[in-house]
Amino acid sequence: MVSEEPNLPNAFVKLYYILQEMKPANTKNGVPVLHSAKDGCKPKKFTPDEVLVPNPSFKENQGTKRKMQPGSLSIYELERLENIRQNQVFLSSIKLLEAKQDLKPEKTQRGLKRQNNKVAWTEILPPRTKSLRIQKKEAERLPLPLEPHRIYYEVERIEHARKPEGPISMEPINMEEDSSLPPELLKLWTEDLIKEEKEELSLEEYRSTLKSMELSEIGGVAKVVKSRIFSVAFHPCSSRLLMAAGDKLGGVGLWNLDSDMGDEGVLLFEPHVQPVACMAFSRSHPTDLLTLSYDGTLRSTDVEKAVFDEVYRIKDGLRTFDFLSHDCSTLVTGDWYGDVAIVDRRTPGTSHESLHSLDTKTVRCVHVHPVQKQYVMVAENSIVSIYDARCLKASSREPVSQLYGHSKSISSAYFSPGTGNRVVTTCLDNNIRIYDTSELASRAPLLTSIQQNLYTGRWLSKLQAMWDPKRDDCFVVGSMQQPRRVQVFHESGQLQHSFQDPEMTTVLSVTAFHPTRNALLGGNASGRLYVFTD
């Protein structure tokens, strides 16, 4: 019995013919054949000797059925495959695919190279023990442990194998073993500084200088250390840019911007085993780089002897330091336990001259007045105090002046570099404050407060406002804003300039200006340094 073609609208004609064509493939001797889902996933067969005939238009094909042989592709699908083949031949003839590969830029990383030191290991699980409840035993009654005195490090502290006492050989770990330091590093490190007296720029000229500083297209970014950067510093030489950075793992990296020593100008050392929280070049002896670490050691870099000499050593918890004298022979340090120590480098040994416990849980930053060196500023929990180092005694620790107004922990506090008449503080209450310290009254007046998002979380170093060494009224600070930037403010709170670049995609938490040249340095959480120069 032949079914008559129904009089359907044009929209259903094609569907009707397709259903009619599927009937022979689904019957065998008039009996319906059921197919599994796997059969539908099998690839369709292609008949090589079948001639490709252009598929007529839908109107022309209304009265005829599309011929489709069982087990083969339809004329439409064959035509589609032929079009694909012709397109591929055309693309190959004009070599478009090869040109696309040539246009892809090669991803290169300046500085330290990635090392694949993955070692296959198998986790050995300890034997599973049954609980006392399952063993039907009574639980032991244990007394509560005593409250520890040093909460920050002693409750759940991870023990690290500290470096041995005394000098440590200065051997770059990113170079071959027993390799000496490059001669160009020694020459640059010991370069005689030429002090040039420059006229201080007006604020408008200073802004123009900042706008002329850009991130170099070639070589402006380099991976200097392995992990998150905690501290950075510029060598004071002016002929070239030599930078230092300390990371979370205790590494200290040196980067010569215009050199090929080490890994494209980068040398990496490991004088510490915990974060290098603070570093600074001696102002009287620029060949001396001091690095301080959480592991409780303060070391001096002697490039001529190729050693990291030990200056000061405690059990652990060192946080910050600064030079207490003009010749940089005396230091003041602060630790996580609220202790401030006076260290004299001329005295043999690695102990302090005096230790003073302040009425605070921790010392986050210490800074010395640039002119009156006897005044030491200490950033405590939520208050900044200025002490007279000559009057610090075991029985009396009264501050000369205090800076109030902070509601949360203070990350940093620094005197202005020229006169010390201003202090900039960075607080976790999302405010950067500028105080007047021209006269050290008992309560320093607040001049300006700048609201800024300073919440970095646990994976980024804390943002800190740092003065430009060449000026007494402008400072630089990183930013959490998008797109990423580094901002320079005036003491009045006015934004002077924002450093931005498409290549700067991460937060530059740690920043520093060059003491004499127009150069800005920023470090991020992956161990990379960004340099903006004019």
Side-chain angles (χ1 to χ4, degrees), residues 317-356:
L318 281 179
R319 176 62 182 86
T320 176
F321 82 95
D322 196 13
F323 300 104
L324 192 57
S325 58
H326 290 283
D327 61 357
C328 300
S329 61
T330 310
L331 310 172
V332 56
T333 67
D335 58 33
W336 285 113
Y337 314 125
D339 298 334
V340 173
I342 307 298
V343 180
D344 193 341
R345 301 180 63 183
R346 298 166 295 186
T347 304
T350 58
S351 61
H352 50 256
E353 294 294 320
S354 60
L355 183 67
H356 311 279

Side-chain angles (χ1 to χ4, degrees), residues 79-115:
E79 183 180 356
R80 172 180 170 274
L81 293 176
E82 177 63 16
N83 291 336
I84 293 175
R85 186 189 66 80
Q86 291 179 2
N87 291 337
Q88 289 178 348
V89 171
F90 175 72
L91 293 177
S92 301
S93 63
I94 63 176
K95 298 183 179 181
L96 182 62
L97 300 178
E98 291 80 356
K100 178 182 177 182
Q101 295 295 332
D102 295 338
L103 290 176
K104 287 185 178 180
E106 296 182 1
K107 294 183 179 180
T108 58
Q109 172 182 292
R110 179 165 182 170
L112 299 179
K113 306 303 179 185
R114 183 174 296 178
Q115 298 177 354

Side-chain angles (χ1 to χ4, degrees), residues 331-502:
L331 310 172
V332 56
T333 67
D335 58 33
W336 285 113
Y337 314 125
D339 298 334
V340 173
I342 307 298
V343 180
D344 193 341
R345 301 180 63 183
R346 298 166 295 186
T347 304
T350 58
S351 61
H352 50 256
E353 294 294 320
S354 60
L355 183 67
H356 311 279
S357 296
L358 305 180
D359 295 331
T360 180
K361 294 182 180 179
T362 182
V363 174
R364 300 184 182 276
C365 181
V366 295
H367 197 237
V368 179
H369 197 284
V371 180
Q372 306 178 61
K373 288 290 185 179
Q374 69 272 18
Y375 293 124
V376 179
M377 182 166 54
V378 180
E380 302 171 4
N381 290 332
S382 59
I383 192 172
V384 177
S385 302
I386 301 176
Y387 296 92
D388 191 337
R390 301 169 299 181
C391 302
L392 283 176
K393 298 179 181 179
S395 59
S396 176
R397 295 183 298 271
E398 289 297 326
V400 177
S401 178
Q402 288 186 313
L403 284 60
Y404 293 93
H406 309 88
S407 60
K408 290 187 178 181
S409 297
I410 301 170
S411 302
S412 63
Y414 296 103
F415 284 106
S416 55
T419 61
N421 292 338
R422 298 289 184 268
V423 168
V424 59
T425 65
T426 311
C427 184
L428 294 184
D429 60 5
N430 291 335
N431 279 280
I432 299 174
R433 296 175 174 87
I434 295 91
Y435 293 85
D436 183 5
T437 53
S438 56
E439 296 180 1
L440 294 178
S442 60
R443 189 184 184 99
L446 175 65
L447 297 179
T448 312
S449 181
I450 306 171
Q451 289 189 351
Q452 187 89 339
N453 181 14
L454 302 174
Y455 182 74
T456 57
R458 62 178 300 186
W459 306 114
L460 300 178
S461 298
K462 295 291 184 292
L463 299 178
Q464 297 184 7
M466 303 290 293
W467 293 101
D468 186 346
K470 302 180 289 296
R471 295 187 66 88
D472 223 35
D473 57 352
C474 292
F475 58 88
V476 62
V477 65
S479 176
M480 298 293 294
Q481 298 181 28
Q482 291 277 12
R484 301 306 183 191
R485 66 195 68 185
V486 175
Q487 297 176 315
V488 179
F489 288 93
H490 186 258
E491 63 175 13
S492 62
Q494 181 183 4
L495 178 64
Q496 301 300 306
H497 184 63
S498 291
F499 291 93
Q500 299 184 42
D501 192 270

